[in-house]
Amino acid sequence: MKQFRSIKGTHDILPKDSYKWHLLESIVHEVCTKFGYQEIRTPIFEESNLFTRSVGEESDIVTKEMYSWKDKDNTVLTLRPELTASVVRAYNQHNLGSLAPIQRYYYIGPLFRRERPQKGRQRQFHQFGIEAFGSKFAEQEAEIIAIAWHILSKCELNEKISLQLNSIGTSKCRSVYREALKNFLAPYLTELSEASKKRFNSNPLRILDTKNEKERSLLKNGPKISDYYSKDDQDHLDEVKDYLSAMDIPFIINPNLVRGLDYYTKTVFEITSNELGSQDALLGGGRYDNLVENLGGRPTPGIGFAAGIERFLLLIDEKKLKLNQPNPDIYFICLEKTGLSISLNISNKLRLKGYKIISDPLRRSMKAQMRDANKSGAKYVLILGEKELQENTIIFKNLENSHQKNIEQKKIIKFFDNLTN
Ligand code: AMP
């Protein structure tokens, strides 16, 4: 019979790894909650136009990476390739801005992009992220970058990463700069890579993103967007820099950072790590002051970031992740069928007290169960055999120091109460 396999670029998260995800997810829940952010969960698929309108018709995501299909009622749907658009859609649909002038959300979930799979790049991947609506001021940038920074600290990653910051100004600044950049590049057009040639017409700012060394050195002599900032653009960026410095968050200004999505204005940032290889971006975000309005809502400034969970897990120290391994506290070995009611009863009572307990449902031998207990990483073993059943006792064994003793069955819960106290 044909055995099925997962689709290219998608991965099963097996129990040998899922506990690592729990660690990162619990850090995200904890830190976001500390900053007053609340979780939002939106559907996995949306109307395609939502992404075309927000991410941009010319973006890589829309031109080549979306998983889209026509539904039976002819609506074109898409598996979400990013989450900001969905969160903004929900914000508008539920009129969330009317609840309070500032709305702070975070999310965790899967995304889908039909990219060429490689290390750190999948077709189904997962992100956690933040969206904050309502403030146009630089302290909002400071707050969300601080959240990223706190999560990185909890993961012990601050030493492995670099925070890059830039401003791409407002759309007025960008359109003047776009022309200046095109004028500068025009004489070299034939020498540019195919990708950059295409971008020259569709989205010239993205040429700044190039990894091509020749193009990079050419751009060093090109115009800088900072020369086209309005006073407000410059003041805003200066404030962001001041607040980051006040929080001791190190950053570098990268004038070539533009990010691939259309909806950004002013601040953009990215956190990268050279330990990730070619897919070195760990997290990216920026301000999107026009997106809520462009998607049919009231004019509302917004800002957010998204971080790749798989890439975080590639970077977090394996030892730190291992600490979160869910080893049982107790392995309950019951050797007699007539003892099962007792062992099930005691196990449940101990679970209610907070102990993690596993037992063997295969009625295997003492030797096999003991081997399993050692492998499980349990701290203690309880053994209920024929002799113990007759004497109404249970053997308690500490696997860490091999001490063992007999305990009366009716005193076993109390025994464990005292063990923790
Ligand atoms: P983006 O939405 O493209 O700004 O991506 C934000 C973050 O999501 C990146 O910095 C990566 O960590 C992660 N990411 C983006 N695309 C992928 C992918 N195809 N596979 C795995 N992680 C990804």
Side-chain angles (χ1 to χ4, degrees):
M1 281 288 241
K2 174 188 158 121
Q3 243 192 19
F4 293 97
R5 299 188 69 79
S6 58
I7 305 296
K8 183 176 170 186
T10 71
H11 294 271
D12 299 310
I13 301 161
L14 300 176
K16 73 176 177 55
D17 293 317
S18 57
Y19 69 87
K20 303 175 183 173
W21 289 66
H22 295 166
L23 174 73
L24 181 54
E25 285 163 5
S26 67
I27 290 175
V28 172
H29 288 299
E30 184 200 323
V31 173
C32 293
T33 308
K34 260 189 199 150
F35 278 81
Y37 283 65
Q38 290 179 302
E39 189 180 6
I40 183 163
R41 301 186 191 194
T42 61
I44 300 288
F45 58 94
E46 302 267 1
E47 220 180 291
S48 293
N49 285 338
L50 173 65
F51 302 111
T52 326
R53 278 251 296 275
S54 54
V55 178
E57 307 243 6
E58 302 294 341
S59 63
D60 287 351
I61 290 182
V62 171
T63 51
K64 356 180 232 219
E65 296 169 2
M66 295 207 302
Y67 284 98
S68 304
W69 70 98
K70 202 182 256 183
D71 205 9
K72 292 200 170 119
D73 65 358
N74 284 336
T75 343
V76 185
L77 303 175
T78 293
L79 293 181
R80 61 189 191 193
E82 64 111 48
L83 259 154
T84 301
S86 303
V87 175
V88 172
R89 196 259 316 131
Y91 178 87
N92 286 343
Q93 180 176 337
H94 304 285
N95 197 15
L96 296 173
S98 67
L99 300 175
I102 294 294
Q103 293 293 309
R104 302 179 172 95
Y105 307 126
Y106 74 95
Y107 56 76
I108 304 180
L111 292 306
F112 307 85
R113 292 183 195 169
R114 202 173 191 293
E115 295 189 85
R116 194 168 47 79
Q118 63 182 92
K119 185 180 166 211
R121 192 162 73 188
Q122 301 170 195
R123 290 181 171 180
Q124 176 174 340
F125 62 101
H126 299 76
Q127 288 181 341
F128 65 86
I130 295 288
E131 313 293 350
F133 297 96
S135 170
K136 62 178 184 185
F137 297 115
E139 50 270 43
Q140 190 64 73
E141 269 89 339
E143 180 174 279
I144 72 156
I145 295 176
I147 296 178
W149 201 252
H150 267 68
I151 293 172
L152 287 160
S153 312
K154 289 250 166 197
C155 297
E156 295 166 27
L157 291 180
N158 301 74
E159 303 295 314
K160 294 188 179 181
I161 52 99
S162 116
L163 165 62
Q164 300 179 39
L165 183 70
N166 192 21
S167 169
I168 54 169
T170 45
S171 55
K172 206 168 134 208
C173 151
R174 274 198 306 282
S175 64
V176 184
Y177 175 63
R178 197 176 292 124
E179 285 317 303
L181 185 64
K182 281 181 85 168
N183 288 341
F184 169 77
L185 288 172
Y188 308 98
L189 195 55
T190 51
E191 296 163 42
L192 298 184
S193 64
E194 283 312 308
S196 293
K197 269 186 206 146
K198 267 197 204 132
R199 285 173 175 166
F200 184 83
N201 288 316
S202 62
N203 194 350
L205 260 64
R206 291 225 41 218
I207 299 178
L208 299 175
D209 252 352
T210 181
K211 296 233 153 72
N212 180 315
E213 278 311 320
K214 233 175 87 192
E215 293 179 356
R216 278 184 185 223
S217 58
L218 174 67
L219 286 166
K220 276 196 189 122
N221 301 319
K224 298 278 168 284
I225 193 157
S226 50
D227 297 333
Y228 298 83
Y229 290 162
S230 66
K231 182 170 179 322
D232 178 54
D233 293 339
Q234 186 64 57
D235 289 349
H236 189 85
L237 179 62
D238 289 343
E239 280 184 33
V240 174
K241 285 159 64 178
D242 285 349
Y243 299 151
L244 291 180
S245 302
M247 294 188 292
D248 299 319
I249 297 179
F251 61 88
I252 49 174
I253 293 288
N254 175 354
N256 290 336
L257 181 67
V258 287
R259 314 235 338 110
L261 318 182
D262 268 9
Y263 50 63
Y264 289 119
T265 50
K266 292 190 176 169
T267 314
V268 288
F269 59 94
E270 208 160 84
I271 291 182
T272 55
S273 170
N274 48 24
E275 292 186 27
L276 279 173
S278 69
Q279 297 303 310
D280 65 351
L282 185 61
L283 176 159
R287 178 169 276 288
Y288 47 83
D289 288 348
N290 305 317
L291 184 58
V292 174
E293 190 181 4
N294 288 347
L295 291 178
R298 286 204 199 101
T300 311
I303 180 164
F305 73 72
I309 295 188
E310 284 84 358
R311 294 192 196 169
F312 256 77
L313 292 175
L314 284 174
L315 278 187
I316 301 175
D317 191 276
E318 196 65 23
K319 275 195 240 120
K320 183 175 174 65
L321 292 170
K322 281 260 175 332
L323 289 178
N324 204 44
Q325 231 168 358
N327 292 343
D329 300 306
I330 304 168
Y331 191 106
F332 205 130
I333 300 180
C334 177
L335 296 167
E336 299 296 324
K337 189 168 173 230
T338 48
L340 282 171
S341 313
I342 298 171
S343 80
L344 290 169
N345 179 283
I346 293 175
S347 295
N348 268 350
K349 283 189 178 139
L350 287 173
R351 284 190 190 106
L352 288 173
K353 296 266 177 191
Y355 285 96
K356 289 182 249 167
I357 307 182
I358 55 169
S359 52
D360 178 79
L362 290 172
R363 302 186 182 178
R364 285 184 292 181
S365 69
M366 173 71 184
K367 201 170 148 202
Q369 290 199 47
M370 203 58 202
R371 200 182 311 123
D372 204 28
N374 279 313
K375 217 166 99 187
S376 74
K379 279 197 282 269
Y380 313 116
V381 180
L382 289 175
I383 305 166
L384 188 57
E386 194 185 350
K387 185 156 169 279
E388 291 72 44
L389 271 174
Q390 277 165 13
E391 295 171 354
N392 295 323
T393 59
I394 287 188
I395 299 173
F396 164 85
K397 182 169 180 180
N398 183 330
L399 287 180
E400 280 164 4
N401 56 22
S402 294
H403 288 168
Q404 87 172 53
K405 62 172 155 185
N406 273 52
I407 297 168
E408 276 184 67
Q409 280 168 18
K410 61 176 193 284
K411 292 193 178 157
I412 193 80
I413 306 296
K414 193 135 193 140
F415 172 80
F416 275 99
D417 279 345
N418 292 335
L419 203 62
T420 42
N421 294 336

